[in-house]
Amino acid sequence: MTAAEPSLTRYAWLSIGAAVVTIGLKGAAWWVTGSVGLLSDAVESFVNLAAALVALWMLHLAERPPDEEYTFGYGKAEYFSSGFEGGLIVLAAAAIVWTAAQRLITPLPIEHVGIGLAVSVLASLVNLAVAVVLLRVGRRRGSITLEADAHHLLTDVWTSSGVVVGVGAVALTGWQRLDPLIAMAVAVNILWTGFRLMRRSFGGLLDRAVPAPQRASLRGLLERYQAEHGVAFHALRSRESAGRAFISVHVLVPGDWSVQRGHDLLERFEADIRATVPRAWVISHLEPLEDPVSLADEPLDR
């Protein structure tokens, strides 16, 4: 975060506010209709609130500057937030399935459909507006926490749409079991979202490389330097850490180059890497091209 960029925690507060509002609206919709589909929607909003609170905590931690103990910073704290959110989604899906199964066995009529649906649609519009803001900021700032929260809210919007359609269909057809069946479909959908969030979080904690398009751009950059300057490269490695990228590479130059010439090339090369991969932390190692010892670390290549 630079002086020109505001703290990401303000967007976590926005998510918390949206969660509180939608809990009230969806809870009211369930109360007046008795729909288990709308109940499932309200339960997911509680998950949104819990996730937003954890996101606030982790974003605050992630913005702490590097120190003597954590020299690479605290950015990976964001992965704990998105992983926690994924776990909460899975638990919410299980609770929805359990509730819907009971209603499937013993169906109950839905009441005051018009009011309930109107309130639910209003809650979905709140979530949609907040999700668009979080997704735009999360992608621009490279925050997996805000992206995860945004995708969760967007999933909430789509599942709410399904519930609204289902409740309307029950009102038109009179088939009461359609409501819990749609609630179960909602549970399956949010379960998949939870799985994807957890998988991405675990990938970040396991030091997954930067995305494939950026890796291809890096290799293209290396090939250009090889052709223009007669140098070579190996041991190119990368990893992501919640909005930051860490890239290391060994650069082999002719042994008769001066230290200054090699240093100047590395400075240009690292600047080009940072232009190719935004927010990259680059570590390069200079080696003589003709020295066999320079090839001893080739096993670092994959």
Side-chain angles (χ1 to χ4, degrees):
M1 182 180 70
T2 66
E5 294 177 321
S7 171
L8 293 176
T9 55
R10 65 169 59 186
Y11 300 102
W13 280 112
L14 176 63
S15 183
I16 290 170
V20 171
V21 171
T22 54
I23 285 172
L25 291 172
K26 292 182 178 182
W30 164 69
W31 182 261
V32 299
T33 63
S35 164
V36 70
L38 291 175
L39 174 62
S40 71
D41 230 6
V43 168
E44 190 177 1
S45 292
F46 276 102
V47 176
N48 292 349
L49 177 59
L53 289 170
V54 173
L56 176 64
W57 177 25
M58 290 297 103
L59 285 172
H60 179 73
L61 179 60
E63 289 181 350
R64 292 178 60 180
D67 54 34
E68 188 172 340
E69 187 173 1
Y70 295 94
T71 54
F72 287 94
Y74 293 79
K76 281 193 174 183
E78 289 201 41
Y79 290 114
F80 291 102
S81 174
S82 57
F84 176 76
E85 182 167 3
L88 285 179
I89 292 174
V90 171
L91 291 177
I96 292 170
V97 170
W98 174 260
T99 304
Q102 304 304 309
R103 189 63 66 89
L104 190 61
I105 297 172
T106 309
L108 295 175
I110 297 176
E111 301 175 351
H112 306 293
V113 174
I115 297 176
L117 293 186
V119 174
S120 183
V121 168
L122 179 59
S124 294
L125 292 176
V126 171
N127 277 337
L128 178 61
V130 174
V132 169
V133 172
L134 295 184
L135 190 59
R136 184 176 68 247
V137 175
R139 287 175 173 172
R140 179 170 57 83
R141 301 279 294 274
S143 171
I144 187 176
T145 297
L146 291 185
E147 284 193 55
D149 215 7
H151 283 300
H152 187 186
L153 291 176
L154 287 174
T155 299
D156 187 88
V157 171
W158 289 114
T159 53
S160 296
S161 301
V163 169
V164 168
V165 171
V167 172
V170 170
L172 292 174
T173 65
W175 187 29
Q176 304 298 334
R177 284 187 171 86
L178 189 58
D179 180 41
L181 287 174
I182 290 178
M184 288 184 175
V186 168
V188 171
N189 187 32
I190 67 174
L191 182 65
W192 173 241
T193 299
F195 171 75
R196 286 189 300 155
L197 286 177
M198 293 174 70
R199 182 178 61 182
R200 185 177 177 190
S201 299
F202 295 155
L205 292 173
L206 291 173
D207 287 338
R208 176 179 289 165
V210 298
Q214 291 184 344
R215 296 201 301 271
S217 297
L218 283 174
R219 295 203 173 277
L221 179 63
L222 265 58
E223 291 171 0
R224 178 166 66 83
Y225 267 79
Q226 286 176 324
E228 293 178 359
H229 302 282
V231 298
F233 301 88
H234 63 230
L236 174 64
R237 289 185 166 188
S238 66
R239 67 180 178 89
E240 286 188 303
S241 182
R244 295 295 302 272
F246 296 85
I247 298 169
S248 63
V249 61
H250 292 195
V251 184
L252 289 75
V253 304
D256 58 359
W257 278 23
S258 66
V259 173
Q260 184 66 54
R261 183 176 179 182
H263 173 73
D264 290 343
L265 180 126
L266 287 187
E267 287 293 322
R268 294 195 303 272
F269 180 56
E270 291 182 6
D272 286 342
I273 289 179
R274 285 188 286 269
T276 302
V277 182
R279 301 176 183 273
W281 185 331
V282 185
I283 301 174
S284 58
H285 176 60
L286 193 65
E287 297 177 320
L289 188 61
E290 301 86 358
D291 192 342
V293 177
S294 300
L295 304 180
D297 48 20
E298 276 193 323
L300 291 176
D301 285 317
R302 292 170 306 282

